[in-house]
Amino acid sequence: MASREATDTDMIGRIPDDLEGAQASNARNKPTEALRFGPFELDFNRYELRREGALVALEPRTFDLVALLARNRGRTVTRDEIFREVWPGRFVSDAALSSQIRSARKALGDDGTRQAVIATVHGRGFRLRNAAVTLNPAPNTPISPDHRENTAPCIAVLPCAAPGDDGRGAVIAGGLTEDLINALARNRWMRVVARNAAFALGRSGEPLDEVLHRLGADYAVTGSVRLAGDRVRVSIRLTEAPGLRCIWSDRFDRNLCDIFDLQDELSGLVAARIASQLGISEQKRAARLRPANLGAWELYQLGTAEFYRFTGEGNRRCQDLMRQSLARAPGFAEPYARLAYAMVLESVYFEGPTDGAHLDEALRLAERSVALDEQEANTLFALGRVQLARGEYGLAIDALETALDLNPCHALSHCGLGDSLVSDGRPEAAIPSFERALALSPHDPFRWAFMAYRSLAHMFLGDHAAAVHWARSATLVPNAHYWARAKLVSWLAHSGEIAAARANVPALIRTYPGFTCEFARSRLFFVRDPTHLEFFLDGLRRAGVP
């Protein structure tokens, strides 16, 4: 006849404050009307359980037990939690709990052998299996457009495993996990679960879906570290909470020289690639929502997807969606930054205005984004790109270097810095920036620009073969912009491959009908050195571009 005074902390260590806060928030948000799961409905006003509309006889304490399990569906509710919630302030026996579990199973058409509805998790507690649970709100209760309280994605980095090692693997795994949390947290548009909470639940032995539910996370990063002599293999996976679908995975093989250098390199690479994949996943999620359910975050994601189409029409839709996002959330920094950058690309890539008033507005938007969040690399990146378009080369370089101080894993800022250095007449200094951008995000939607801008640096260094190689590589990216093809045409002509240059002109014209040397001149208004502009245009003319 054991009394129950212990808590969950006996099993997994003290629950950190941030997790306790999340659980307290869940408690405050308990249903006040009716809760549905499977064919059942819990009516909290009438204190009744119904199955497909028919009343099921249930004593009050059993109702409380079923409600507790339903509110925490999919995760294990410990025995201690049940004692605290169902018998608050009382000392009762394990037999009393067993009796209530039997009554609950009977009411739900279950039993201890099948456990089709209520599962026993030996040594811990009980779990209502993953039946869909929905809340029927009272009349006039607003329904959130998203199931998450904060619609920015939340990611939990769980402890990396180190199976069968001699102790070194565990050291590398622990350091890599912690460094990855820190690297991801530099992306302020995502929420990263604090280390203590992620480690506590990640090591609890509970199923992954339960861990994510308790942490309130939408994505999980898991991985393993294996050693063989002086070789280390790190495997990383990114899993989406609904359905536990793996949306990205990769493997990294390295020589084990300096542990800190290894952890720095891998945490940076993995953080950059996860950020890219997370952005794509959020864009797809937003596209699945009904228009009436779109909030500021979803509108921002839809606009970002349009941005990466690199078409004039997509750019205009992007700007419209960013303005809609800002109308809903004027204090949201990221749409200001994306809108400012879209306006710049409209001027450079498409037929948007190139006058001072247009660029002044882009600057005001970029400065507003920085004012709202000066610690976010994306806002400084946008500011730097606007400043480059305005011919403010030194300011652009300063802004992009600041962005990289904030987030060294931000691939776009590495590319932007490289492009700004080329424009400032320092192509040799720009090459490492392009190399880093591609290493961090080899599948980035903007990777064609990483390559095309790099080709420009090589051409100004007199390395024609490298310039042609990178321009050609850029044209092979599915969403590559016509400027990549234009660079390839010009570089081939300057390399003496006139026939190849002319063979690429029809593809350039198909990509952008009406492309001419005069149009190119009008769009490259920001080029600092007039000789660079004339060099590019001369290559186009040699290839037969009118």
Side-chain angles (χ1 to χ4, degrees):
M1 303 289 285
S3 63
R4 313 303 299 178
E5 295 179 318
T7 68
D8 274 353
T9 57
D10 297 325
M11 301 181 185
I12 60 172
R14 184 182 183 278
I15 296 177
D17 293 341
D18 51 354
L19 183 57
E20 286 179 338
Q23 292 176 333
S25 175
N26 289 340
R28 287 193 299 270
N29 293 322
K30 290 180 180 179
T32 58
E33 294 298 324
L35 194 67
R36 292 183 181 275
F37 58 100
F40 297 98
E41 179 183 60
L42 287 166
D43 188 323
F44 290 87
N45 288 333
R46 298 182 179 180
Y47 222 64
E48 293 176 347
L49 172 69
R50 289 186 289 273
R51 177 170 186 158
E52 297 177 343
L55 185 65
V56 178
L58 207 63
E59 67 175 63
R61 204 172 300 280
T62 309
F63 179 95
D64 291 341
L65 174 59
V66 173
L68 178 63
L69 295 174
R71 286 196 288 266
N72 294 276
R73 75 282 187 189
R75 81 165 180 89
T76 299
V77 181
T78 66
R79 300 167 69 87
D80 296 310
E81 286 181 81
I82 295 172
F83 280 109
R84 287 198 304 269
E85 294 291 329
V86 179
W87 289 276
R90 294 184 57 188
F91 294 95
V92 296
S93 67
D94 287 338
L97 173 57
S98 298
S99 175
Q100 289 299 333
I101 290 291
R102 284 195 298 272
S103 297
R105 281 180 169 145
K106 182 178 179 181
L108 300 174
D110 197 10
D111 58 51
T113 301
R114 292 189 303 124
Q115 297 189 15
V117 182
I118 299 178
T120 300
V121 181
H122 293 288
R124 288 194 56 78
F126 302 90
R127 174 165 59 95
L128 188 72
R129 294 193 181 275
N130 282 320
V133 178
T134 58
L135 171 65
N136 289 349
N140 303 320
T141 300
I143 299 177
S144 170
D146 193 279
H147 71 283
R148 302 178 293 199
E149 290 183 10
N150 183 336
T151 52
C154 180
I155 186 167
V157 182
L158 303 181
C160 282
D165 73 282
D166 59 4
R168 292 181 303 162
V171 172
I172 296 171
L176 177 61
T177 306
E178 188 156 346
D179 288 350
L180 184 53
I181 290 173
N182 293 336
L184 285 170
R186 290 175 180 264
N187 296 283
R188 290 165 63 85
W189 57 269
M190 68 175 72
R191 295 174 295 133
V192 182
V193 174
R195 175 193 181 279
N196 289 348
F199 274 47
L201 287 181
R203 290 171 174 162
S204 68
E206 292 192 10
L208 181 58
D209 57 341
E210 294 185 12
V211 170
L212 293 178
H213 175 71
R214 293 188 67 183
L215 292 172
D218 306 294
Y219 301 90
V221 178
T222 56
S224 63
V225 174
R226 289 176 287 169
L227 292 177
D230 290 331
R231 296 285 293 168
V232 58
R233 171 169 291 177
V234 176
S235 298
I236 301 288
R237 292 169 297 282
L238 178 64
T239 302
E240 194 175 43
L244 296 184
R245 184 173 65 93
C246 180
I247 60 175
W248 173 81
S249 65
D250 209 339
R251 188 184 75 190
F252 303 87
D253 291 330
R254 296 291 189 274
N255 287 318
L256 182 57
C257 298
D258 184 286
I259 289 179
F260 292 126
D261 287 345
L262 176 70
Q263 290 171 178
D264 286 346
E265 179 198 2
L266 291 183
S267 63
L269 289 175
V270 172
R273 297 181 189 183
I274 285 175
S276 177
Q277 291 298 322
L278 213 61
I280 293 170
S281 179
E282 287 295 295
Q283 291 162 29
K284 291 179 178 178
R285 186 190 66 80
R288 292 193 295 266
L289 295 178
R290 295 177 180 178
N293 288 348
L294 296 176
W297 173 258
E298 290 79 18
L299 289 165
Y300 168 73
Q301 291 298 334
L302 290 176
T304 298
E306 293 293 341
F307 175 88
Y308 282 123
R309 296 184 191 278
F310 296 112
T311 64
E313 184 181 357
N315 184 281
R316 288 188 293 273
R317 284 198 297 263
C318 167
Q319 293 189 45
D320 181 58
L321 287 163
M322 291 303 155
R323 294 185 190 279
Q324 290 182 46
S325 176
L326 292 172
R328 285 168 169 75
F332 187 7
E334 297 259 1
Y336 287 102
R338 183 70 70 189
L339 176 56
Y341 192 28
M343 291 177 66
V344 166
L345 295 193
E346 179 188 25
S347 297
V348 176
Y349 289 172
F350 311 111
E351 296 184 358
T354 59
D355 58 275
H358 185 74
L359 294 179
D360 285 347
E361 183 185 357
L363 180 63
R364 284 193 296 272
L365 290 164
E367 289 176 337
R368 176 62 175 156
S369 72
V370 173
L372 287 168
D373 193 348
E374 62 181 9
Q375 299 299 309
E376 169 56 55
N378 275 318
T379 65
L380 272 298
F381 164 76
L383 178 61
R385 300 308 274 163
V386 172
Q387 289 168 330
L388 178 67
R390 293 168 57 86
E392 299 166 345
Y393 305 102
L395 292 175
I397 291 171
D398 288 345
L400 290 158
E401 287 179 339
T402 303
L404 290 170
D405 285 341
L406 293 170
N407 187 355
C409 307
H410 196 247
L412 281 178
S413 289
H414 282 285
C415 176
L417 178 59
D419 187 37
S420 299
L421 290 169
V422 172
S423 298
D424 198 43
R426 292 185 276 168
E428 188 171 4
I431 299 294
S433 294
F434 297 126
E435 289 176 341
R436 186 59 175 159
L438 282 167
L440 286 170
S441 193
H443 304 294
D444 197 284
F446 227 130
R447 66 189 181 277
W448 67 265
F450 300 175
M451 300 171 184
Y453 296 164
R454 179 173 180 171
S455 79
L456 186 66
H458 285 294
M459 181 54 69
F460 291 155
L461 288 170
D463 189 346
H464 291 195
V468 169
H469 165 76
W470 286 108
R472 180 176 284 119
S473 297
T475 65
L476 298 177
V477 177
N479 65 338
H481 196 265
Y482 65 82
W483 279 116
R485 182 74 60 179
K487 286 184 173 67
L488 177 60
V489 169
S490 183
W491 303 162
L492 284 168
H494 280 296
S495 300
E497 300 181 50
I498 300 298
R502 289 176 176 171
N504 274 275
V505 172
L508 171 60
I509 301 302
R510 282 196 304 272
T511 308
Y512 192 87
F515 185 93
T516 64
C517 289
E518 191 55 38
F519 171 79
R521 183 189 300 277
S522 71
R523 296 296 119 185
L524 298 176
F525 57 88
F526 58 91
V527 175
R528 183 172 194 171
D529 189 340
T531 63
H532 286 173
L533 177 57
E534 291 306 321
F535 181 84
F536 173 65
L537 296 176
D538 181 56
L540 293 177
R541 283 190 287 266
R542 290 189 195 185
V545 176

